[in-house]
Amino acid sequence: MTYLSLSEYLIQTFGSKVYKLSLSSGCSCPNRDGTIAYGGCAFCSAGGSGEFSASFAPLREQMEQARARVDSKFPARTRSNRKYIAYFQSYTNTYGDVKRLSKLYGEALSYEDIVALSVGTRPDCLGEPVLDMLEALNKVKPVWVELGVQTANDATARSINRGYETAVFADAYERVKRRHLSVIVHVILGLPGETKDDMLGTVSYLSSLSPVIDGIKLQNLQILKGTAIGEQYLREPFPVFSLEEYAVLLGECLKILPKNTVIHRITGDGPKSLLIAPLWSADKKKTLNYLRSYLSSL
């Protein structure tokens, strides 16, 4: 099976490998501070799904820390002319003062080695002033809007305390695409109570959107310490995928998705120190090798 991976897309678009710098905007989340709910989504850790992000500090300092973290993984001789994406991941990065965020994101895009901006947020935090800001930034360099939908099943969404109905996502998606911004949707496979049909239904729903979704992150549910789902699992364990089961489902999902949708992720990437289950996902390299080998056999 062939699919358009993120690494391939980045090389096609920017002419070389591109690396993400995980940064912090200093935003909170309306699903944590009581505006919508408290405690956040049931799967979300205290770090707001951004455990690998730099600590909130002046942006230059954050970027230096994030570059050093990325660059330490590669030989020094390969570091010249390296390109990066400024990725604001944790919490809800359009939930705050628009003028402050515009200045912050504009500063990020001003760095020569930054080729794009990726902003993680919620569909219920995309008012018109925010979209005006993102549209203006998109004229400087590409802007990606990352939306953690996780499921199109509203019953599941309520059970995980997502805080909005799928219709809210549909409306936001239409308004974001009207501004010619790229949208990357996050999906979690294996949420408690969901059947295989529910999960494939989510992917089918996303595949039917018009315009076609630009990118998708598919990942297995990672049950983490300090989350509502983690506490639920420790009280009364529920079934989780084996690696083999997950690979089969992943293959079925990829068959549904449009061929020009970029596959940004095929497995979870949570911190090992917080992982309760499934333990196989702690070894990311081994997991990716298995999944890629399985998918190439289809």
Side-chain angles (χ1 to χ4, degrees), residues 11-176:
I11 290 172
Q12 291 175 12
T13 304
F14 300 109
S16 67
K17 290 183 71 67
V18 182
Y19 304 86
K20 283 189 174 182
L21 300 181
S22 293
L23 306 167
S24 173
S25 68
C27 291
S28 181
C29 176
N31 205 25
R32 286 178 173 272
D33 67 7
T35 301
I36 293 173
Y38 292 99
C41 298
F43 56 84
C44 194
S45 63
S49 298
E51 282 75 16
F52 301 115
S53 300
S55 300
F56 184 61
L59 185 62
R60 179 178 294 275
E61 182 180 330
Q62 286 195 58
M63 293 185 73
E64 288 174 355
Q65 293 174 358
R67 283 194 193 97
R69 189 180 301 115
V70 171
D71 291 348
S72 67
K73 301 175 183 178
F74 305 98
R77 66 178 183 276
T78 69
R79 294 178 192 169
S80 60
N81 301 317
R82 183 164 289 164
K83 298 174 182 177
Y84 305 94
I85 295 166
Y87 181 27
F88 291 86
Q89 177 182 12
S90 54
Y91 303 111
T92 303
N93 294 284
T94 59
Y95 183 57
D97 181 73
V98 174
K99 290 183 179 179
R100 182 185 76 84
L101 293 174
S102 179
K103 182 178 179 180
L104 178 70
Y105 298 150
E107 181 184 350
L109 289 178
S110 72
Y111 289 90
E112 187 177 353
D113 58 358
I114 297 296
V115 297
L117 170 71
S118 189
V119 178
T121 187
R122 295 168 56 89
D124 52 2
C125 292
L126 287 169
E128 294 307 305
V130 167
L131 292 180
D132 289 342
M133 169 190 70
L134 296 176
E135 183 179 32
L137 293 170
N138 193 46
K139 294 175 181 177
V140 179
K141 291 178 183 177
V143 173
W144 301 351
V145 179
E146 301 208 20
L147 297 175
V149 176
Q150 319 309 352
T151 179
N153 184 315
D154 281 332
T156 304
R158 288 188 288 273
S159 75
I160 62 172
N161 195 38
R162 190 179 68 181
Y164 65 85
E165 298 289 304
T166 300
V168 174
F169 161 75
D171 173 70
Y173 182 82
E174 180 182 350
R175 290 185 295 107
V176 173

Side-chain angles (χ1 to χ4, degrees), residues 93-271:
N93 294 284
T94 59
Y95 183 57
D97 181 73
V98 174
K99 290 183 179 179
R100 182 185 76 84
L101 293 174
S102 179
K103 182 178 179 180
L104 178 70
Y105 298 150
E107 181 184 350
L109 289 178
S110 72
Y111 289 90
E112 187 177 353
D113 58 358
I114 297 296
V115 297
L117 170 71
S118 189
V119 178
T121 187
R122 295 168 56 89
D124 52 2
C125 292
L126 287 169
E128 294 307 305
V130 167
L131 292 180
D132 289 342
M133 169 190 70
L134 296 176
E135 183 179 32
L137 293 170
N138 193 46
K139 294 175 181 177
V140 179
K141 291 178 183 177
V143 173
W144 301 351
V145 179
E146 301 208 20
L147 297 175
V149 176
Q150 319 309 352
T151 179
N153 184 315
D154 281 332
T156 304
R158 288 188 288 273
S159 75
I160 62 172
N161 195 38
R162 190 179 68 181
Y164 65 85
E165 298 289 304
T166 300
V168 174
F169 161 75
D171 173 70
Y173 182 82
E174 180 182 350
R175 290 185 295 107
V176 173
K177 292 307 299 176
R178 203 182 301 150
R179 304 295 188 111
H180 305 291
L181 299 162
S182 294
V183 176
I184 301 155
V185 180
H186 298 207
V187 172
I188 295 178
L189 303 173
L191 289 168
E194 287 221 316
T195 65
K196 176 182 174 182
D197 285 345
D198 290 328
M199 298 172 217
L200 294 177
T202 291
V203 177
S204 295
Y205 164 73
L206 295 171
S207 299
S208 71
L209 293 173
S210 181
V212 170
I213 55 172
D214 301 284
I216 191 168
K217 290 183 175 179
L218 294 165
Q219 69 171 77
N220 56 290
L221 173 66
Q222 289 192 306
I223 302 171
L224 303 178
K225 298 174 185 175
T227 66
I229 282 181
E231 293 172 2
Q232 176 186 347
Y233 184 82
L234 291 174
R235 288 194 308 270
E236 188 174 351
F238 50 83
V240 295
F241 288 122
S242 67
L243 177 55
E244 295 76 15
E245 290 170 335
Y246 178 69
V248 171
L249 179 61
L250 178 65
E252 293 187 48
C253 290
L254 293 179
K255 289 178 182 177
I256 297 171
L257 288 163
K259 294 300 181 185
N260 56 337
T261 294
V262 181
I263 310 303
H264 284 242
R265 179 184 291 171
I266 57 174
T267 186
D269 193 23

